[in-house]
Amino acid sequence: MSCEHDCKTPPPFPKRIFNRPGLDRIDHRIGGYTEMRAHIFALIDADPRLSAWTHRFADDPGIALVESSAIVGDILTFYQSLYANEFFLRTAQWRESIADLVRLLGYRLAPGLAGESTFALLVKGDQPVVVPKGFGFKTQIEGQPKPVVFEASAALTAYPYLSTFNLYRPRVTPSIYRGTRNFGVVSALPAGMQLNPGDRLMLGVASPAGTSPSELEYSQIAVVDRTWESFGTTYVAIKGGIQTLRAKTLTQIAAQPLFALTQSALSSSALQIAAQPQSLQLNLVQSAFTPLQLLSVLELAPTSVPELFAYKLGASHRHFGHNAPAQQVTIDGNGHATTSNVSFARNLNTTTGTPASPSLAAATLPLDAPVDGLSAGTMVVVEAHVGTSTASPSSRAVCLVRGVTRVEKGAAGWGPQTGPSTVLALDDDLAVTAGTVDYDAADIRTINVHEVTGAGFRLQAEPQPLSAASGKELDFYGTGDEVMSLAQRALLLSGPAGELMPASVIAVAAAQNPDLQLFRRITLDTPVQYAEFAHDAPQVTVYGNLVDATQGKTED
C-alpha cells in the first residue's frame, strides 16, 4: 500500500522562522515538543535497521529517552524565542532588556522607586518606645488586593504624650490695671484652701516684695465672683475689679507736653488722685501745683502693677473703744464733776496709758468683743490710719500683715467704756516708716482687724491671647523634658476640616521649672492661623510620633 495519500505526514521540523514587521510578539521557535517527538519517531520508522522496533509507549526506555529529548528541546526553543523577543524594543518585556537597548542611543532610565509613606504612631502606656530603622509596618492601601509592607527609614523614639496632643495660641500675661477683674493664681493655692463665690480677699502690692509681706500697698477688700480651673491653674474673678490703682487716663495726661496741662486738667487730676488710697493723697491745691510738680505726684501712684498679693479673710473686728463716748465725766478730790473729751489716739511703738485701761503695750491689740476663732500662730491683716503723733494720728492709710503670738480673753476699757475683750499679742507693732517719716500713732476708730484663713498667695492678671492672626510660635503644655523632646521634631497638623499640614519644630523655649506642667513656647517652620488653636476649644490635632517608611521588605 502506498503512503502517498494514506500515511500520516509528520509536522515539518525544523520550522522555518518568519515574522512579518510590526508584530507585538515574534515567534522564533523551530519547533516544540510535539514537532520534535514526531520528527524523531519518523526518523526511527524510516531506518530499516529499526524496522523491528514498533513499540511506542513510554514504558520502553528508548521511547522514554526520545520523549525526554523532545521535552528538553521544547524548553530550549521556548527560551530561544523569549530571548529573541528581548532583542527588539517593540517586543521586549524585561526592564534590563529595554535599558540595554536604549543605552545604545545614550539614554539612561530613571531608577525605580518603591512607595513612600509617613506613619503616625500611637503609643500606649507611659514609657517611650524606640522604633528601630527597618521596623516593619503592614497596611491595607485602598485599591490594593493585599496588605502592603513598609519599613522605617530611620530610628525614632516615640513618646506616649506626643501620640496626639494640642498646641495653643500664644498668650501674654498683662499687667494689672484699674478695673482688672480676672486673675490667675501664681503656682497654686495654699494647701487645703478653696475659693468660693462670696469669699472675701484682701488684695494689695506686697511690701517688701516677696511671699511674706509686712504691708500691702494699694490694698482693697474684694469679693470673689466666680472661680474656675484651666490647665492646672486656679482663676478668680472679683466683683467690681481693682479700684486702688491710678486710672489710665492719668498716664495719658502725664504723657502730654507740659504746655498742654491746662488748669482744668490739673483740677481733674487732683480729683482722681484724691480718690486713691490715703497713702497716695497729697494735699492737692489746684493753684499750688506746677505741671512739673504734678508729674512728680503722678509718678508716686502707678497705673499698673505686675502682680498682687492676696489673703483670704475670715471674720473682721474693730479695736476696743472705737465706739466709746466722745466725752467723759470725772470727779476730782473735792467732789467736783468735770467733763472732758476722750482721746481716740494710741501709741504704736510705746505703751499707751490713759484713756486705755489697762495700759496697752505697743504690740497689743484689744478687740471689741470676745473672739473664739483666733489662736496663736495665725495671721491678721490690720487696716488703720496712722500719723506722726497722737495729735495727728490719721494722716496715712496703711494695711499691715501681722502674726498672732498670743491670745488672751479678759476685760478692757477705753475712757468711760469697759467690757469683755480678746486681746491679741502681735509679732510686731503697727508703727511704720515711710522714707524718713515715722508714723507711730493711730486713731483707734480707723483700726480694722481681719482674720486670715490659710497662707497668702500671689495673683497675676489672666493671660490674654496675642492679637496677631497668624504666626509660627505656639504654646505647648507640658514639662520641661516633654517640650525638649519636640526639638527638631516633625509634626503633622490635622485641621478642623481634616486637612493635613506637615510642620517641623525649629526651636523650643528654655525649660523653666522643668518638673512643672506649664505653657512652653515652641517655633514651627511654617505659619499657622491662631484662631484654630484656641485654649478653650482647639480645632487642630497634632501628631508627634512620625516615622518615614519605604515600601518593601528587606530579605536576608
Side-chain angles (χ1 to χ4, degrees):
M1 180 176 65
S2 173
C3 290
E4 181 178 355
H5 299 291
D6 299 330
C7 296
K8 293 183 178 179
T9 302
F13 181 84
K15 184 176 61 175
R16 187 172 69 90
I17 303 300
F18 173 77
N19 293 279
R20 64 177 179 82
L23 294 176
D24 292 332
R25 296 291 297 174
I26 62 174
D27 182 7
H28 201 71
R29 300 182 72 171
I30 61 174
Y33 169 79
T34 301
E35 292 82 9
M36 292 182 185
R37 180 176 182 274
H39 178 69
I40 296 174
F41 282 167
L43 292 176
I44 294 173
D45 292 340
D47 192 332
R49 295 171 296 178
L50 301 177
S51 59
W53 189 11
T54 59
H55 190 77
R56 295 289 184 266
F57 296 99
D59 56 349
D60 187 319
I63 298 302
L65 179 61
V66 169
E67 292 188 342
S68 297
S69 300
I71 292 173
V72 172
D74 181 82
I75 295 173
L76 293 175
T77 57
F78 168 79
Y79 282 105
Q80 185 180 36
S81 181
L82 178 65
Y83 292 147
N85 277 273
E86 295 302 314
F87 272 89
F88 300 95
L89 189 60
R90 177 185 291 274
T91 58
Q93 298 292 317
W94 297 347
R95 175 183 175 83
E96 293 83 356
S97 302
I98 297 174
D100 290 340
L101 290 171
V102 298
R103 190 179 289 113
L104 298 175
L105 304 176
Y107 180 79
R108 297 292 185 270
L109 294 178
L113 296 177
E116 296 181 343
S117 181
T118 299
F119 290 86
L121 307 183
L122 303 181
V123 181
K124 296 181 179 180
D126 55 4
Q127 297 297 319
V129 176
V130 177
V131 180
K133 180 180 179 180
F135 185 82
F137 301 92
K138 183 180 290 187
T139 182
Q140 184 67 51
I141 299 178
E142 184 178 357
Q144 297 293 325
K146 296 182 178 180
V148 179
V149 176
F150 289 82
E151 288 187 351
S153 302
L156 172 77
T157 301
Y159 298 93
Y161 53 83
L162 295 183
S163 295
T164 59
F165 61 100
N166 296 112
L167 294 173
Y168 302 94
R169 184 175 190 165
R171 297 190 301 179
V172 294
T173 301
S175 296
I176 298 172
Y177 291 92
R178 185 184 183 93
T180 299
R181 295 186 66 250
N182 296 343
F183 303 89
V185 177
V186 179
S187 297
L189 286 171
M193 179 180 292
Q194 292 184 344
L195 294 180
N196 300 297
D199 287 344
R200 297 187 306 154
L201 301 177
M202 178 64 77
L203 307 178
V205 178
S207 177
T211 57
S212 299
S214 59
E215 182 176 359
L216 297 179
E217 298 179 336
Y218 321 114
S219 62
Q220 76 173 70
I221 295 178
V223 177
V224 175
D225 186 26
R226 65 186 182 96
T227 64
W228 67 98
E229 297 284 333
S230 179
F231 294 98
T233 298
T234 301
Y235 289 92
V236 182
I238 64 172
K239 295 180 179 180
I242 294 297
Q243 300 299 318
T244 54
L245 298 178
R246 177 162 48 92
K248 291 183 182 180
T249 53
L250 291 180
T251 302
Q252 299 169 356
I253 295 173
Q256 295 176 10
L258 293 181
F259 60 81
L261 289 173
T262 62
Q263 195 75 7
S264 61
L266 290 174
S267 176
S268 173
S269 300
L271 291 177
Q272 292 189 52
I273 293 176
Q276 302 304 313
Q278 193 166 359
S279 60
L280 299 179
Q281 294 178 14
L282 302 175
N283 293 322
L284 295 178
V285 180
Q286 181 175 328
S287 60
F289 277 83
T290 66
L292 282 176
Q293 289 173 321
L294 179 59
L295 290 177
S296 297
V297 171
L298 296 178
E299 288 297 323
L300 297 177
T303 59
S304 64
V305 293
E307 67 177 29
L308 295 174
F309 207 86
Y311 289 101
K312 181 179 177 180
L313 300 182
S316 297
H317 314 283
R318 302 289 300 275
H319 191 289
F320 186 90
H322 71 92
N323 56 348
Q327 292 183 327
Q328 65 177 351
V329 178
T330 58
I331 306 298
D332 60 19
N334 297 321
H336 297 148
T338 304
T339 301
S340 60
N341 294 328
V342 175
S343 172
F344 292 94
R346 65 163 289 180
N347 296 315
L348 298 178
N349 58 355
T350 62
T351 299
T352 300
T354 305
S357 60
S359 297
L360 297 177
T364 299
L365 194 60
L367 304 182
D368 60 347
V371 177
D372 294 328
L374 283 170
S375 61
T378 60
M379 289 191 300
V380 292
V381 175
V382 182
E383 292 183 295
H385 286 186
V386 297
T388 56
S389 67
T390 54
S392 179
S394 58
S395 59
R396 177 185 177 91
V398 295
C399 181
L400 307 176
V401 182
R402 296 291 185 264
V404 178
T405 61
R406 188 175 68 255
V407 178
E408 294 181 350
K409 293 184 178 181
W414 193 273
Q417 186 180 40
T418 59
S421 173
T422 294
V423 181
L424 306 180
L426 307 180
D427 60 357
D428 195 6
D429 58 42
L430 303 181
V432 296
T433 299
T436 59
V437 181
D438 294 328
Y439 295 89
D440 51 13
D443 187 328
I444 65 170
R445 293 172 296 184
T446 68
I447 297 178
N448 294 285
V449 182
H450 308 286
E451 298 179 26
V452 170
T453 302
F457 53 95
R458 295 182 294 149
L459 296 175
Q460 291 181 337
E462 180 185 18
Q464 299 298 315
L466 291 180
S467 58
S470 62
K472 296 182 178 181
E473 291 187 337
L474 289 168
D475 279 347
F476 171 81
Y477 184 73
T479 65
D481 290 341
E482 289 173 350
V483 73
M484 293 306 296
S485 67
L486 280 172
Q488 308 304 316
R489 200 174 189 90
L491 306 178
L492 185 64
L493 311 181
S494 177
E499 68 276 14
L500 299 177
M501 182 180 74
S504 294
V505 180
I506 60 176
V508 297
Q512 302 294 330
N513 299 317
D515 296 333
L516 299 181
Q517 294 273 344
L518 301 173
F519 283 107
R520 304 176 188 276
R521 192 66 46 87
I522 68 171
T523 304
L524 304 181
D525 62 346
T526 184
V528 296
Q529 296 298 315
Y530 283 151
E532 298 178 349
F533 295 84
H535 283 69
D536 53 349
Q539 304 176 43
V540 176
T541 300
V542 185
Y543 299 92
N545 293 323
L546 303 183
V547 58
D548 294 328
T550 56
Q551 183 180 353
K553 182 179 180 181
T554 301
E555 298 291 344
D556 297 331

